[in-house]
Amino acid sequence: MRHPRAIVFLLLVFFGIFSPPAYAQFNLKTGYNFSIVSSPGINRIVSDFNTSQSFSKPFRELHWLHGFEGGVRYKRGFHAVELTYQGAGKSFRATGLEPGAASKYTDKIKYSIQSAAFGYQLGQGLFGFGTDLQYQWYKFAYKSGISDEELKNIQHMTAFKFYLILNVQGNEGIDFAFQPYLVLPSKYFDLEPVSEILDTESVVKREKWIRYGLTMVFYNGEK
């Protein structure tokens, strides 16, 4: 999520600074997405961890994710197929005073969901809809501000993404699209590794992270 040079380069390509628009049926896409996630189980674990520590500013709850999205599309008539990378994540910090010392420390927690997807779209002109089959990487990472130790857990699963498309036609082969979406994972996110990392008891053992979101994306080339 922290790749500003790559993002700037892609945007410059899309606006024709490095190359003219490609009026073809292959389209590059780049954009940004935001999603809401219901995660009461993991929020309970982090809340219990906050209680066990002497934080002056504890970790906040996870309610939404955001990240970069990019890929390539082949479109013919009303039909199109896509290859897509979608990233989504959120980072939090908690601060406190080291035991027996006056120095401040900062603990960090990072959540991320990255996915590679193959998708199909149907539409022409202003409206359309699409669906993706995603392969997802769930990552939870915790870094101690006292010991500098970093612990993480990565889980894999597939998911289906369903979305609507609202196209806004632009100039010189550059279009913009709003894509409200729903992501349905095929499996549950196992919370026990998170409990072990934070050394807390997990009341809820697993939960499914169904996400409702919005992608705002640029396409270049003929549509």
Side-chain angles (χ1 to χ4, degrees):
M1 292 170 55
R2 296 184 179 180
H3 303 289
R5 292 184 181 178
I7 294 173
V8 170
F9 175 78
L10 286 170
L11 290 175
L12 290 176
V13 170
F14 273 88
F15 286 105
I17 293 178
F18 285 102
S19 62
Y23 291 96
Q25 291 176 328
F26 279 100
N27 313 125
L28 295 176
K29 72 169 187 175
T30 182
Y32 211 80
N33 75 89
F34 303 85
S35 60
I36 298 172
V37 59
S38 177
S39 53
I42 205 163
N43 284 333
R44 172 68 181 273
I45 293 171
V46 174
S47 176
D48 290 344
F49 179 69
N50 284 334
T51 303
S52 70
Q53 305 297 306
S54 55
F55 292 135
S56 57
K57 182 181 178 182
F59 287 111
R60 290 177 294 161
E61 292 188 343
L62 175 67
H63 295 292
W64 63 282
L65 303 165
H66 61 100
F68 172 76
E69 186 167 325
V72 61
R73 177 178 70 176
Y74 178 74
K75 182 172 175 60
R76 186 167 185 174
F78 291 93
H79 308 278
V81 292
E82 281 195 346
L83 294 175
T84 302
Y85 163 81
Q86 184 182 61
K90 196 79 169 66
S91 298
F92 296 96
R93 296 187 175 193
T95 57
L97 295 177
E98 291 189 35
S103 56
K104 184 182 293 187
Y105 70 94
T106 301
D107 285 2
K108 300 176 183 178
I109 284 179
K110 183 177 181 180
Y111 308 89
S112 67
I113 303 175
Q114 300 183 67
S115 64
F118 175 78
Y120 168 76
Q121 293 181 351
L122 179 64
Q124 186 76 2
L126 187 61
F127 297 106
F129 69 89
T131 182
D132 289 352
L133 174 61
Q134 297 183 335
Y135 185 77
Q136 298 182 327
W137 296 263
Y138 283 63
K139 181 179 178 181
F140 173 85
Y142 165 74
K143 185 174 183 180
S144 170
I146 297 178
S147 66
D148 211 34
E149 181 183 20
E150 185 171 4
L151 302 172
K152 62 184 179 181
N153 173 257
I154 299 175
Q155 301 179 35
H156 307 268
M157 67 186 71
T158 57
F160 287 100
K161 177 183 177 182
F162 304 95
Y163 57 97
L164 301 176
I165 304 170
L166 173 62
N167 291 308
V168 180
Q169 294 186 350
N171 297 322
E172 300 182 356
I174 309 297
D175 284 359
F176 182 73
F178 293 97
Q179 298 178 351
Y181 66 81
L182 166 67
V183 175
L184 297 174
S186 62
K187 293 170 57 179
Y188 286 87
F189 181 34
D190 185 3
L191 300 180
E192 294 197 59
V194 178
S195 296
E196 293 174 4
I197 288 173
L198 298 181
D199 194 23
T200 61
E201 292 293 331
S202 176
V203 177
V204 179
K205 302 300 181 183
R206 59 180 191 166
E207 61 187 8
K208 186 170 286 191
W209 281 15
I210 297 173
R211 290 188 289 141
Y212 301 89
L214 175 67
T215 296
M216 297 169 287
V217 63
F218 288 98
Y219 286 96
N220 81 331
E222 186 179 352
K223 316 302 184 294

